[in-house]
Structures are given as C-alpha cells and as structure tokens.
Amino acid sequence: MTSEPQKPLKTPPYSDIDLNRWREYDHVLTDSLWLMESRDRTGGHQLDYHGNFIPQIAAQTYLRYTKENDIILDLFLGSGTSAIEAARLKRRLVGVELKPDLVEYVRDKISPTLLDDRIHILQGDSTNEETATRVRKTLASMDAEHAQLLVLHPPYHDIISFSDDPADLSNSSNLENFLNLFETVARHGFGLLEPGRFAALVIGDKYTKGELIPLGFYCLERMQRAGFRTKAIVVKNITGNERGKGQDSNLWRYRALTWGFYIFKHEYIIIFQKPANGA
Ligand SMILES: C[S@@+](CC[C@H](N)C(=O)[O-])C[C@H]1O[C@@H](n2cnc3c(N)ncnc32)[C@H](O)[C@@H]1O
C-alpha cells in the first residue's frame, strides 16, 4: 500500500502557518472583530500593571506575522507582556521601556537562560535617536539587521499617567505634542523593521471636555506619515482587560444617558506593513 505523498510546506514569507493545512488554524484569528472572554493568566502573565494589554494580542500577532526565532521589537514594553509571550512562542524580542524600576521588574520575570540572549530588555526613551542606535546594536548582537515585527502600545495620551518623567508620552502637554512624539517612535520603528514585515499598534480613544478624541485614527495617520501601509483595523473588546468596575458601571451608564456619549468598550489593534522595497 502506498501512502499519500506529503505536500511540501507552504507558508507565507512572514509566518509559519502551513497554508496546505489552513483549516487546522481555527485558533488564529482572521476577522476584524475580536471578542475575548478574559485575560489569559497562564504562562507567567499577571494583571500586575495598570495599562498592560492582554497576552492574546501578542499571541495572535506573533502567530500571524512572525516565524519561530524571528525578533519582535516592542518600543513601549511596560510590564513585559510581549516578552513573556515571545518566550512562550519561541520568538526572540527586544523591548524598550522608559521606567528603570519596571525594566528591573520585567527582567526578573524572564528566565535567566533567555535574558540578554533571546530576550533583551533595554531601559531608554524610545523617542531618542540614541535609543534606536542601542536597539540596532542589540539586533547586531543577535546576528540581525532588523526586527521582523514591531509592536507599539503607547500611553493613550494622558488617560493613565505612567511616571513623572517628562520623556513619558503620557506627560505630553497637549495632543499635538503626544502625536509628534508618537510619530518619532513610529519612524524609529520603521527604520528598525525589516522591509515587507508588519507592525501592530494597540491604542484606544479618549474623551476630553465632552469631546471624543480619536487617538486611534490620529496615530494611524502618523504611522502612515512614517511610511507604513495600513493593512487592518481590528476592534477588540476591553471587557476582559478591566479590573472589576462594580457599581461604577451604573454611574457611567447614568452619565452616558445624561451627556450623550457611549461608554468605551473597545480598543484597536491596527496592523501595518512596511513596503517590501523599504520606501
Ligand atoms: C500602555 S503601556 C504598555 C503596556 C505593555 N504593552 C504591557 O502589556 O505591559 C505604555 C508604556 O510606555 C512607557 N513609555 C512612555 N513613554 C515612553 C518613552 N518615551 N519611551 C519608552 N517607553 C515609554 C510607559 O512607561 C508605559 O510603561
């Protein structure tokens, strides 16, 4: 009896998804609406930092846009969700975070066998050219010229204050300054990313003085100015990301009915691609 010949592996140039077996990838999302039940608390993830994203965002983007051993660059690392997920999915990562104490905290979470080898955590200001130079040197120490996925999860302007540091984007004095600093980081990320590869921007909108400020769309526009092409706007529920709001939700509902707004229940994961010719 002869067995069926095995089809050769057929993957996109940027992922390990075997297109011959595409029906087996139910766990990989392709719809633009992500309704996630709850935060994945397995594999070393905790809700230990106000403003962190749920690990599923990292997992989904890594599976879609990277191969094993590829390097993810996260220029707003925070509490290191993207680093923990990179270790779990056998990817490498370079992360930059402004707050020195947080950098130490994240370094403690990473297995010593991976730290400063497959996972690099740098303390620095991502708007700074000197930080981009350090990232480039770190990539060189990993035998790479570029990262293969850029992750950007900036402060949503001033809705959470992360530190007193004037370089912290959450301390930008006004919206224009915030967007200019964000664009500077986006431009550094663009230069550090391999042509043809992808970037994921995680961002939400905000209200100021009774007006909705569409930070997500403004940041999208800045990514385009930096040279990226937009591939998708994913809308994700934020219910699984919140601490229990309890009685507060009734108050917000009352306020919404009074003032005519809708209560934020979503944020965006906006996917971009750097053109293959690098232009
Ligand atoms: C929304 S949080 C990122 C959370 C992260 N995705 C996680 O899961 O923990 C934004 C982070 O950007 C950091 N940050 C703000 N300005 C920065 C800058 N100029 N350079 C580097 N990091 C900065 C803040 O300290 C904060 O930790």
Side-chain angles (χ1 to χ4, degrees), residues 105-176:
Y105 178 67
V106 177
R107 286 177 67 85
D108 280 347
K109 289 195 209 176
I110 304 296
S111 148
T113 55
L114 301 177
L115 195 61
D116 301 327
D117 179 28
R118 290 177 63 86
I119 307 280
H120 292 258
I121 317 280
L122 310 182
Q123 189 278 322
D125 171 2
S126 292
T127 64
N128 215 320
E129 185 58 51
E130 181 259 331
T131 305
T133 304
R134 281 167 58 216
V135 170
R136 210 165 278 119
K137 284 189 183 148
T138 305
L139 290 170
S141 78
M142 301 163 90
D143 289 327
E145 200 180 332
H146 291 109
Q148 283 80 35
L149 173 69
L150 174 68
V151 173
L152 296 176
H153 185 205
Y156 301 177
H157 189 194
D158 51 2
I159 64 171
I160 298 176
S161 176
F162 287 99
S163 67
D164 296 331
D165 192 326
D168 183 333
L169 267 66
S170 65
N171 293 325
S172 308
S173 53
N174 60 46
L175 178 64
E176 191 58 22

Side-chain angles (χ1 to χ4, degrees), residues 29 34 36 38-40 45 52-65 81-82 85 89 149 151-153 156 200-203 234 236-238 241 267-271:
L29 300 175
W34 293 5
M36 295 183 163
S38 64
R39 159 175 293 273
D40 178 358
H45 292 291
N52 64 6
F53 59 37
I54 63 169
Q56 292 95 316
I57 292 179
Q60 285 296 326
T61 52
Y62 295 1
L63 292 172
R64 284 292 307 272
Y65 301 118
T81 313
S82 60
E85 211 51 21
L89 293 174
L149 173 69
V151 173
L152 296 176
H153 185 205
Y156 301 177
L201 165 65
V202 183
I203 185 88
V234 171
K236 177 194 144 291
N237 64 329
I238 52 173
N241 209 17
E267 61 190 346
Y268 307 103
I269 297 111
I270 310 182
I271 305 294

Side-chain angles (χ1 to χ4, degrees), residues 16-30:
D16 287 329
I17 293 174
D18 183 356
L19 297 169
N20 285 323
R21 299 166 56 182
W22 63 273
R23 288 178 200 279
E24 295 170 30
Y25 289 88
D26 279 354
H27 58 292
V28 178
L29 300 175
T30 47

Side-chain angles (χ1 to χ4, degrees), residues 92-110:
R92 297 182 290 163
L93 174 133
V94 180
V96 180
E97 167 57 45
L98 188 66
K99 284 159 71 173
D101 50 333
L102 198 53
V103 168
E104 284 318 306
Y105 178 67
V106 177
R107 286 177 67 85
D108 280 347
K109 289 195 209 176
I110 304 296

Side-chain angles (χ1 to χ4, degrees), residues 213-275:
I213 312 295
L215 283 184
F217 298 140
Y218 290 145
C219 288
L220 179 156
E221 201 265 328
R222 296 303 181 112
M223 289 290 279
Q224 291 181 337
R225 282 195 209 177
F228 288 101
R229 283 200 200 128
T230 308
K231 294 291 282 192
I233 300 177
V234 171
V235 175
K236 177 194 144 291
N237 64 329
I238 52 173
T239 316
N241 209 17
E242 292 168 318
R243 292 164 195 266
K245 284 237 172 97
Q247 297 174 345
D248 272 6
S249 59
N250 278 336
L251 182 58
W252 279 112
R253 185 162 156 73
Y254 179 81
R255 287 177 179 156
L257 290 167
T258 308
W259 302 109
F261 62 83
Y262 285 84
I263 302 160
F264 285 129
K265 288 290 169 190
H266 70 282
E267 61 190 346
Y268 307 103
I269 297 111
I270 310 182
I271 305 294
F272 301 87
Q273 189 171 25
K274 176 172 174 172

